[in-house]
Amino acid sequence: MPIRNSDGEIIGVAQAINKTPGGAPFSDDDEKVMQMYLPFCGIAISNAQLFAASRKEYDRSRALLEVVNDLFEEQTDLEKIVKKIMHRAQTLLKCERCSVLLLEDIESPVVKFTKSFELLSPKCSADTDNSFKDSMEKSSSYSDWLVNNSIAELVASTGLPVNISDAYQDPRFDADADQISGFHIRSVLCVPIWNSTHQIIGVAQVLNRLDGKSFDDADQRLFEAFVIFCGLGINNTIMYDQVKKSWAKQSVALDVLSYHATCSKAEVDKFKAANIPLVSELGIDDIHFDDFSLDVDAMITAALRMFMELGMVQKFKIDYETLCRWLLTVRKNYRMVLYHNWRHAFNVCQLMFAMLTTAGFQEILTEIEILALIVGCLCHDLDHRGTNNAFQAKSGSALAQLYGTSATLEHHHFNHAVMILQSEGHNIFANLSSKDYSDLMQLLKQSILATDLTLYFERRTEFFELVSKGGYDWNVKNHREVFRSMLMTACDLGAVTKPWEISRQATELVTSEFFEQGDRERSELKLTPSAIFDRNRKHELPRLQLEWIDSICMPLYECLVKLNVKLKPMLDSVAVNRGKWEELHQKRLPSQAASLSSFSSSFTMSLKDIN
C-alpha cells in the first residue's frame, strides 16, 4: 500500500507478506487496519526527513557562521585564512581533496595561476596517498595535478561553475594527468572565486565525495557560499597588506620630514643675489676636477653655473629663485653620511657636466635628456641612509616594505625627488609643456634607477656589444636609453677616474661607510658581513679595489672611450689608480698567502651586496 505525506504525495510504500498463522490471505479488515496506520507512518517519515534536512541545514549554516568568525580572527595571513575555509568546506562536503588557486593577474586575458593551496582528507587511504606522493616526486607539483588545469582555466575564463559527476566521461577532463598522478579522480566540483568588485581572482575545487556519490546541487550551493567567504578573506588580506604598505609609506615620510627641512628664505635670497663664478674659475669642466675643492655653498653656485652654462634656465624658462630654492632643499635632503651625501651628488653631477661638454654629447642628446641627466645626478641618492639595498632587505626596513627588494633605494630617491619638486616653490619644471613634463619625468626616473648596479649589469652587455660591433644608432630609442644609463653609472662611479689622491680619499670614505653598515649587520642583525663591509678585513682593501676596477669600472670606461675617444683621460686615470692599488696589494702579498685569484670568488659574493 502507498505511504502518503500530508499533501497526499506518495513518499514510499508499506508491504505485509505471509499472514500468520496458517497462511490465510489478508482480509478486508487487514487492509482497513493498514490504511488506518499508514497516515501516521507518513507523518513520522515526513517529520524524520524534515528533521534530518533541518539538521543538515543547521550544520551548514553553523559552518558558514564559523567561517565568518574565522574571517574576523585571521585577516593577516592569506594561506591561513584560505586553509581554514577549505578545511571547513572539506569537512562539511565530505570530500577527499580540496584546493584553491589564485590568478597571477586578474586583468590579463591569459589565465595563469600564481598561488595554490591544497588540503587532503585524513580518510584517504595510506596506500593511495603514498602512490600519489611518489608520483608527484616524479612528475608535476601538487597544484599542477590537483586542480586539473583544463577545468580550472575554463572556470577562471568563463566564470561558470563546473560539476562533473563522472570525470572520465567528460571531454574537459585531462585523463592522462589523472593517470600520471596515481590518484583516481571520480567527481569534480570547481567554482570561481570573485572579489568585491566582481572580478574573478581564482578558482576553488573539491574532488571525490567520500561516500562515492557525485556532488549534487546542494553541495554546489554550499561550496559557492564557502567560496564567497574565501573571496572576502582574500580581499581582507590584500587590504591588510595595502594598509601595511601605507603604514610603511607614512613611516618613511615621517622619518624624512623629521630629519629634513626645506631651505630658509634667507638662504634663497643669499644665492639669488650672489655673483656666480664662471666655469673656468670653478674648474667644473675638468674631467679631473678635485671632488673636495669646493665647500657646501660653493657647490650650490657651481650647480647654478652648470644649469646656466647648459642653457637650461633659458630654454625651459626655469625661474631663477625657484632653482636656488630647489638646489638648497635638495642639499638639505641629503643626510650627513660619510659618502652618499650632498658632495657625492654634486661630484656625480659635475662629472656628467664635464663629460657632456668635453665629449660633445650635447650634440647627440636632446635638451630634455640633458636636463633629466643633470637633475638625476643631483637627486640620485636623495635621503641615502648610508646602508644599501641588501641591508634594507635583510633588516625588513620600512623602505623595503614600501618598495620591495628590487632597487629599493633608487625608487626612494626618485620618489623623494618628486616630493621636493611638488613642494610649494620648488617646481623647476613648472613652465614645461605637459608633453615635455611627462617625457622629462620618465627620463628622470630612468636616470635615477640606472644607478642601481643590478640594472647596470643587466644592460651593460648590450651596450658593450653595440659599441664593439659599431652598431650604435642614435636614432634608436633603446640605444639612447642604454647610453644614458651607462653615463649615469660612469658618473656615479666617477671617483675611480680622478687623480690618485682624490680617488683614494673617496675610496676611504665609501669604505668607512660600508664598515659602519657591516657593524650594524653584526650587532643588529647578528650576521657576518661580507668582506667589503667587514672592518676586520680592511687590510684586504687593495685586493677588493682591484676586483672592483677589473669587474665593474674598467670595462665600462673602455667601452665609453671606444664610443668617444675624448673620454680617454678618464680611462687613463683608472689605469693609473689600478696600478697604485696593485702596488699596495703586492706589498701585502708576502704576508698574506691568498692570491687575488683565490680571493675572487669571495669578493664576487660581496659584489651582490654592494648595491
Side-chain angles (χ1 to χ4, degrees):
M1 297 184 72
I3 302 172
R4 300 178 185 275
N5 62 15
S6 58
D7 295 323
E9 299 170 329
I10 296 174
I11 59 173
V13 295
Q15 182 174 258
I17 302 173
N18 296 348
K19 184 177 179 179
T20 58
F26 293 103
S27 65
D28 291 340
D29 289 338
D30 294 330
E31 187 174 336
K32 290 178 181 178
V33 170
M34 192 129 179
Q35 283 178 331
M36 187 187 303
Y37 278 101
L38 284 185
F40 296 103
C41 183
I43 292 171
I45 291 173
S46 294
N47 287 345
Q49 289 176 335
L50 182 61
F51 177 80
S54 299
R55 181 70 189 183
K56 187 175 183 180
E57 195 61 36
Y58 169 78
D59 289 340
R60 294 187 172 197
S61 298
R62 186 181 63 181
L64 291 176
L65 287 173
E66 288 171 345
V67 168
V68 174
N69 186 58
D70 289 340
L71 289 177
F72 284 101
E73 284 185 351
E74 180 57 71
Q75 300 186 54
T76 63
D77 189 306
L78 180 63
E79 183 173 0
K80 284 183 180 179
I81 187 62
V82 171
K83 286 199 170 182
K84 274 188 176 183
I85 295 172
M86 288 168 57
H87 176 73
R88 296 194 185 281
Q90 185 185 49
T91 302
L92 204 60
L93 292 171
K94 295 180 173 56
C95 60
E96 292 181 357
R97 301 183 187 274
C98 182
S99 64
V100 168
L101 265 81
L102 302 182
L103 289 172
E104 184 178 64
D105 183 2
I106 63 175
E107 301 291 347
S108 174
V110 179
V111 173
K112 186 176 181 182
F113 298 109
T114 181
K115 285 187 179 179
S116 62
F117 309 93
E118 291 86 24
L119 279 182
L120 286 71
S121 169
K123 294 184 180 180
C124 290
S125 69
D127 291 339
T128 301
D129 205 42
N130 288 336
S131 70
F132 164 70
K133 289 179 180 178
D134 290 342
S135 65
M136 286 303 96
E137 292 173 358
K138 297 174 183 176
S139 58
S140 56
S141 67
Y142 270 67
S143 60
D144 288 336
W145 165 79
L146 191 55
V147 174
N148 209 314
N149 280 341
S150 59
I151 296 173
E153 289 170 2
L154 177 65
V155 172
S157 60
T158 64
L160 299 174
V162 169
N163 190 345
I164 301 175
S165 57
D166 188 347
Y168 274 70
Q169 298 302 316
D170 196 294
R172 297 168 295 182
F173 181 76
D174 188 353
D176 292 337
D178 185 51
Q179 292 171 357
I180 291 173
S181 74
F183 177 85
H184 179 63
I185 298 176
R186 300 186 305 275
S187 54
V188 179
L189 175 57
C190 187
V191 299
I193 303 173
W194 306 86
N195 65 9
S196 58
T197 57
H198 206 64
Q199 293 174 297
I200 296 175
I201 59 175
V203 297
Q205 180 173 261
V206 286
L207 303 176
N208 296 0
R209 274 181 47 160
L210 292 173
D211 59 8
K213 298 179 181 178
S214 58
F215 297 102
D216 56 27
D217 290 341
D219 293 329
Q220 182 172 324
R221 288 194 300 272
L222 179 63
F223 194 42
E224 287 175 331
F226 269 99
V227 167
I228 289 173
F229 291 109
C230 190
L232 289 172
I234 293 168
N235 192 61
N236 287 350
T237 307
I238 291 172
M239 287 177 64
Y240 177 80
D241 186 60
Q242 290 173 343
V243 169
K244 279 177 61 180
K245 286 190 174 181
S246 295
W247 171 86
K249 189 172 185 177
Q250 182 183 32
S251 177
V252 171
L254 290 174
D255 186 36
V256 169
L257 290 173
S258 66
Y259 189 90
H260 301 299
T262 57
C263 60
S264 67
K265 184 178 184 302
E267 287 180 299
V268 176
D269 291 342
K270 170 186 171 183
F271 284 96
K272 184 181 176 183
N275 290 321
I276 307 301
L278 299 174
V279 169
S280 57
E281 297 176 70
L282 293 165
I284 53 176
D285 58 343
D286 186 0
I287 290 289
H288 293 143
F289 173 79
D290 184 348
D291 288 355
F292 304 96
S293 62
L294 302 180
D295 62 29
V296 290
D297 283 349
M299 286 187 279
I300 294 290
T301 58
L304 287 167
R305 172 53 65 189
M306 285 188 273
F307 272 85
M308 291 186 287
E309 192 69 21
L310 292 169
M312 291 185 289
V313 175
Q314 302 86 342
K315 167 64 181 176
F316 299 108
K317 298 180 176 61
I318 299 175
D319 179 75
Y320 191 71
E321 181 177 332
T322 301
L323 179 59
C324 293
R325 184 181 296 109
W326 176 80
L327 280 169
L328 288 164
T329 297
V330 166
R331 182 178 73 178
K332 280 183 174 292
N333 279 266
Y334 275 92
R335 300 195 180 199
M336 300 299 289
V337 294
L338 289 171
Y339 183 75
H340 292 96
N341 48 37
W342 162 246
R343 181 174 295 280
H344 167 66
F346 171 79
N347 288 333
V348 172
C349 184
Q350 179 277 322
L351 187 54
M352 178 66 75
F353 175 81
M355 291 177 71
L356 289 171
T357 55
T358 300
F361 291 137
Q362 282 177 280
E363 300 172 8
I364 297 171
L365 297 170
T366 66
E367 292 167 321
I368 287 282
E369 287 176 313
I370 292 172
L371 179 60
L373 288 171
I374 292 296
V375 173
C377 288
L378 290 170
C379 297
H380 83 282
D381 272 333
L382 273 170
D383 195 48
H384 200 291
R385 285 93 187 284
T387 52
N388 62 7
N389 286 333
F391 184 86
Q392 310 308 318
K394 293 173 188 175
S395 62
S397 69
L399 286 176
Q401 291 183 46
L402 180 57
Y403 299 110
T405 56
S406 176
T408 304
L409 288 171
E410 288 73 26
H411 280 100
H412 176 57
H413 302 325
F414 170 71
N415 286 344
H416 199 72
V418 173
M419 184 182 74
I420 293 174
L421 286 167
Q422 291 177 343
S423 301
E424 185 177 358
H426 289 79
N427 189 4
I428 58 175
F429 306 146
N431 292 319
L432 271 67
S433 68
S434 58
K435 183 183 185 306
D436 284 348
Y437 185 86
S438 177
D439 292 344
L440 178 61
M441 295 308 292
Q442 184 63 31
L443 292 169
L444 178 60
K445 185 174 185 178
Q446 290 174 1
S447 298
I448 294 176
L449 294 186
T451 58
D452 177 10
L453 280 181
T454 302
L455 183 62
Y456 162 67
F457 276 112
E458 289 176 0
R459 309 205 70 172
R460 74 173 190 172
T461 301
E462 179 184 4
F463 178 65
F464 293 170
E465 289 178 354
L466 285 170
V467 173
S468 177
K469 295 176 181 178
Y472 226 88
D473 187 345
W474 299 109
N475 294 317
V476 177
K477 182 180 178 182
N478 182 61
H479 290 194
R480 298 176 73 87
E481 183 180 338
V482 172
F483 172 67
R484 293 194 308 270
S485 295
M486 294 301 114
L487 277 185
M488 288 297 299
T489 301
C491 294
D492 195 18
L493 309 181
V496 75
T497 70
K498 299 302 177 73
W500 167 246
E501 290 304 324
I502 300 170
S503 180
R504 180 168 183 170
Q505 188 177 347
T507 301
E508 289 172 352
L509 286 172
V510 72
T511 301
S512 297
E513 186 177 287
F514 283 175
F515 287 164
E516 288 191 357
Q517 175 178 314
D519 294 342
R520 291 184 62 185
E521 289 180 4
R522 185 177 279 110
S523 61
E524 297 175 18
L525 307 180
K526 309 304 178 186
L527 298 173
T528 301
S530 52
I532 201 165
F533 297 93
D534 192 346
R535 69 173 66 253
N536 297 329
R537 300 172 68 177
K538 60 184 178 182
H539 55 278
E540 298 174 351
L541 180 60
R543 292 188 291 183
L544 291 167
Q545 285 302 305
L546 286 172
E547 185 72 20
W548 168 260
I549 291 171
D550 291 343
S551 300
I552 296 177
C553 304
M554 189 69 81
L556 174 59
Y557 295 110
E558 285 176 343
C559 194
L560 285 171
V561 170
K562 288 180 183 178
L563 193 65
N564 191 316
V565 72
K566 293 179 181 179
L567 298 178
K568 191 172 184 300
M570 297 177 71
L571 181 61
D572 293 340
S573 291
V574 176
V576 170
N577 292 333
R578 190 198 183 284
K580 295 288 186 179
W581 288 116
E582 180 68 38
E583 290 176 14
L584 292 174
H585 169 60
Q586 293 298 331
K587 288 179 181 178
R588 294 181 180 274
L589 207 54
S591 61
Q592 299 174 13
S595 67
L596 179 59
S597 60
S598 66
F599 184 76
S600 177
S601 61
S602 65
F603 182 77
T604 302
M605 294 298 292
S606 300
L607 286 180
K608 296 177 182 178
D609 282 340
I610 286 175
N611 205 46

